Amino acid sequence: MTGLRSEQSTYQSLSQMLTGVQPVAPIRRPLLQRLASHPEFWLALVSLFWLASSNRFFLVSSFEASSAGDGSSIRLIAGLIIALFALNWLLLLTTVLHKPGRWLLALWMIVGAVLAHFIGRYGVFIDPEMLRNSLKTDLAEAGELLTLSLVLDLTLFGLVPAAAVWRLWPAPRTWRQASLIRLSCLLVAVLTLLSALLWISQPFSSLMRMHRDLRYLITPSNLIWSGSQAIAGQAREHGQPIKAIGLDVTPGPLAQRRQRPLRIVVVVGETVRAQNWGLNGYARNTTPQLAQRAPINFNHVRSCGTNTEVSVPCMFAPVGRGQYDEAVIRGHESLLHVFARAGWDVSWHDNQSGCKGVCQGLSYVQAGDKLGRGLCEKGRCLDEVLLDGVRSFMESNQAQSLLVLHMLGNHGPSYWRRYPTTFEQFIPACRKDDLSACSREEIVNAYDNAVLYTDHLLARLIDEMAQQEDRVDSVLVYVSDHGESLGERGLYLHGMPWAIAPEEQTRVPMVFWFSKFADTSTGVALDCLRAQAGTRQISHDYLFHTLMGLADLRSVVHAPAFDLAGLCGRPPQQDASRDSVRQP
């Protein structure tokens, strides 16, 4: 055997001498080329890419929220960069498997780009309330958010990098090799994440204690957490039967003596903020027609939420922001059911995205369906469509009726679509769906024009009700569901978490109007109510109990301290007990 090997070696040496060819050593590929053959490398690159493209808003906000400039702030941001990289890498390592890997990774990159667009362009937080509101958004509303800037951001930060990773995605590996490498990377990611958090534990815990809502800027983890919470909430909502409230409701003495029919119209405004409401002293007269009719205007009103999905159920519930409990609000009937139980004719007319469960099982009319009259185009109707059913409501033979009109109002970003061109008084107005394509002055002009149109609609409604005041008594209550940011502090639209939302999103207008004899019918001293309007700080919490007071309905769910009608009229009822629904 030894002789054979010696002969082979001698033969190879002789061949090399004759041919001049030296033996070739095995080629070792460069480190980068070897790393690129593993999916985990590409997942790490995507995690780094997300730091700059999707999480820069979280890092900047965290730096601004900390004691900017000192050593602890710099250490905090450095630790957050490491932790974010490890967190996103861990997320991708656990979700992007090899066979469908590039499909899943491309989807994640597109989702990350979309989330970053809305966070960066409008200052929104991806929290459960915002996602729940998004799930209830109709197609027409969603279509207005499909702007050129969204396409550009999606292309630059989503499609292009996703296509690059797709093109360079490595070939399949053996199962054993893939498992060992994936488990090793998972261990490295977990240890890196824990080490980074331990390094910045003190400033990080302080930051999260003082600014908990910053976590909703961590992309795309915010989608996973908030999405799971929103879906779980929806499942709980649909899985539980709605509990009745006001089972003991009865008409009070004033209601029993009432000789004339009573009509109450509640107009739920959309996205109108108090700062741009002319009756509140705004520099522009955005409510000239209402001013001529001298309604009672409340100057200091806070909303229950910063989006429709939260505010509408809350304002029609006995539990308000003071003791806000989403499960209690969504798990019980609303004020409308209490009125219906007391024998009132109740109806909801909608020009928005539904009543959010408030009118479940009651009369509901959608604009564009039974309400039309040529005011609708491309799935959207001007709010004057809501006037279609008012005359028949006022002329009905019912002794007492409640009508709720849910407006489209000033819903953004397309404020210019909310009013006819004849109401474009403030110019130049932004006439684009993409707010980034307009100056702040143009945005405010378009917004104020939409407020002018709301003023016109309410004035027409008052005139319609006034025509019937010799036959019936009527009361109009207008209140917006939440406000809107128009570029203050770089924020646009609405939907900020309520705890940190600016007052532009939480201060709203509220107006009362009474027909000629309605003060007698409701027992309200109008001078007293007008005085309360100028000084009292109120909120959506008052709506439920004030409407019960106007109707003089007695029940244990009624809280006299929140009844503006009772505070300015008959002595408040003394309730010995309370319903299972907690009071504000």
Side-chain angles (χ1 to χ4, degrees):
M1 181 66 70
T2 303
L4 179 60
R5 289 177 181 169
S6 177
E7 289 179 8
Q8 290 176 343
S9 177
T10 302
Y11 176 77
Q12 290 175 355
S13 299
L14 181 60
S15 298
Q16 292 165 10
M17 291 175 63
L18 293 174
T19 60
V21 178
Q22 299 298 317
V24 180
I27 298 176
R28 188 169 181 81
R29 293 179 298 168
L31 176 62
L32 184 60
Q33 187 176 353
R34 280 181 283 143
L35 289 175
S37 65
H38 299 291
E40 292 76 17
F41 170 76
W42 294 102
L43 300 183
L45 285 184
V46 172
S47 301
L48 288 172
F49 176 73
W50 276 345
L51 278 174
S53 66
S54 302
N55 286 288
R56 63 185 187 275
F57 313 109
F58 169 73
L59 293 171
V60 170
S61 299
S62 298
F63 184 76
E64 292 174 349
S66 63
S67 51
D70 63 11
S72 63
S73 296
I74 297 173
R75 173 184 167 188
L76 173 64
I77 299 305
L80 286 177
I81 289 174
I82 297 171
L84 279 175
F85 165 76
L87 176 65
N88 286 331
W89 196 28
L90 186 62
L91 169 66
L92 293 174
L93 287 170
T94 54
T95 58
V96 179
L97 304 178
H98 190 67
K99 274 196 173 181
R102 55 183 184 176
W103 290 96
L104 293 171
L105 187 57
L107 179 60
W108 268 125
M109 298 184 76
I110 291 170
V111 167
V114 172
L115 295 177
H117 167 82
F118 288 108
I119 292 173
R121 296 279 178 169
Y122 303 114
V124 302
F125 282 59
I126 312 299
D127 65 343
E129 287 183 1
M130 193 281 294
L131 285 183
R132 189 182 303 111
N133 194 52
S134 300
L135 291 172
K136 300 292 182 68
T137 299
D138 57 40
L139 291 177
E141 183 178 325
E144 294 174 357
L145 296 172
L146 300 178
T147 61
L148 177 60
S149 62
L150 173 59
V151 174
L152 292 176
D153 286 347
L154 177 60
T155 302
L156 182 61
F157 298 109
L159 296 177
V160 171
V165 174
W166 177 282
R167 175 70 179 82
L168 299 170
W169 193 249
R173 303 169 298 183
T174 65
W175 179 88
R176 177 174 296 180
Q177 182 188 27
S179 300
L180 288 174
I181 295 176
R182 183 60 59 100
L183 288 174
S184 300
C185 291
L186 282 169
L187 180 60
V188 171
V190 170
L191 291 177
T192 303
L193 177 61
L194 294 177
S195 299
L197 293 178
L198 184 62
W199 183 43
I200 59 171
S201 59
Q202 186 173 353
F204 179 69
S205 60
S206 177
L207 177 69
M208 288 296 102
R209 209 168 34 244
M210 300 297 295
H211 305 277
R212 294 185 61 192
D213 294 302
L214 285 177
R215 58 184 169 164
Y216 297 123
L217 296 178
I218 300 175
T219 307
S221 299
N222 48 11
L223 179 65
I224 297 175
W225 169 255
S226 299
S228 62
Q229 293 294 306
I231 293 172
Q234 290 288 101
R236 286 193 301 270
E237 181 181 338
H238 292 295
Q240 296 293 330
I242 301 298
K243 297 179 181 178
I245 62 172
L247 294 173
D248 62 333
V249 63
T250 57
L254 185 63
Q256 294 177 24
R257 295 194 303 267
R258 195 175 286 142
Q259 299 297 314
R260 290 155 54 90
L262 178 61
R263 306 283 182 261
I264 297 179
V265 179
V266 179
V267 181
V268 178
E270 170 65 35
T271 323
V272 178
R273 67 185 200 174
Q275 291 82 354
N276 292 55
W277 190 245
L279 294 178
N280 285 347
Y282 182 43
R284 287 176 168 175
N285 188 8
T286 54
T287 54
Q289 296 186 51
L290 276 178
Q292 294 174 3
R293 289 153 181 81
I296 299 173
N297 180 72
F298 279 78
N299 295 311
H300 312 287
V301 185
R302 290 280 179 183
S303 66
C304 185
T306 62
N307 61 67
T308 306
E309 189 67 24
V310 171
S311 281
V312 169
C314 183
M315 69 171 68
F316 287 97
V319 178
R321 174 52 64 178
Q323 290 184 342
Y324 184 76
D325 189 320
E326 180 187 352
V328 170
I329 291 174
R330 296 182 181 277
H332 289 77
E333 291 178 336
S334 73
L335 173 73
L336 275 59
H337 298 93
V338 177
F339 268 71
R341 186 165 287 117
W344 281 60
D345 180 57
V346 178
S347 185
W348 181 290
H349 292 186
D350 201 276
N351 190 32
Q352 233 254 23
S353 54
C355 69
K356 311 304 179 183
V358 169
C359 62
Q360 183 176 337
L362 303 174
S363 173
Y364 175 86
V365 180
Q366 177 67 47
D369 182 9
K370 294 183 180 179
L371 303 175
R373 211 174 55 180
L375 294 169
C376 303
E377 182 180 354
K378 296 181 180 179
R380 278 295 191 213
C381 301
L382 293 172
D383 277 326
E384 280 182 281
V385 74
L386 293 172
L387 298 177
D388 277 5
V390 171
R391 177 164 297 180
S392 59
F393 166 78
M394 294 296 297
E395 294 176 348
S396 72
N397 296 323
Q398 299 292 330
Q400 44 210 6
S401 304
L402 172 67
L403 174 64
V404 182
L405 305 178
H406 188 196
M407 298 177 64
L408 184 56
N410 277 51
H411 199 288
S414 305
Y415 307 121
W416 63 282
R417 297 183 185 274
R418 307 296 173 246
Y419 57 86
T421 54
T422 53
F423 283 84
E424 195 156 277
Q425 176 176 325
F426 304 111
I427 54 176
C430 178
R431 297 188 63 82
K432 296 181 175 64
D433 294 335
D434 188 355
L435 295 182
S436 65
C438 299
S439 68
R440 186 168 184 273
E441 178 189 4
E442 292 171 329
I443 294 170
V444 173
N445 286 342
Y447 184 89
D448 286 347
N449 289 332
V451 178
L452 274 176
Y453 184 56
T454 292
D455 168 71
H456 169 72
L457 172 71
L458 294 176
R460 280 196 58 190
L461 181 57
I462 288 174
D463 293 345
E464 188 71 47
M465 297 169 71
Q467 289 180 10
Q468 305 288 334
E469 61 186 3
D470 289 333
R471 188 181 66 85
V472 299
D473 297 325
S474 56
V475 180
L476 169 70
V477 180
Y478 168 80
V479 60
S480 183
D481 62 349
H482 55 78
E484 184 89 330
S485 289
L486 298 176
E488 300 84 4
R489 295 172 291 280
L491 300 176
Y492 291 89
L493 304 182
H494 53 269
M496 289 277 287
W498 197 90
I500 64 170
E503 67 173 10
E504 289 84 6
Q505 296 188 26
T506 59
R507 278 194 60 209
V508 295
M510 188 174 189
V511 170
F512 286 76
W513 177 86
F514 291 77
S515 64
K516 188 188 303 182
F517 305 111
D519 55 342
T520 302
S521 181
T522 59
V524 176
L526 299 187
D527 289 341
C528 168
L529 191 63
R530 200 175 295 274
Q532 295 277 346
T535 59
R536 180 177 284 269
Q537 304 274 346
I538 67 170
S539 66
H540 279 164
D541 296 22
Y542 283 74
L543 183 65
F544 181 102
H545 309 285
T546 297
L547 290 174
M548 287 195 70
L550 290 172
D552 192 25
L553 296 180
R554 306 299 177 94
S555 169
V556 294
V557 296
H558 176 254
F562 290 83
D563 176 6
L564 296 171
L567 293 172
C568 284
R570 60 197 173 278
Q573 64 186 85
Q574 300 298 320
D575 297 324
S577 61
R578 283 288 180 265
D579 195 276
S580 59
V581 177
R582 292 176 291 155
Q583 300 302 313

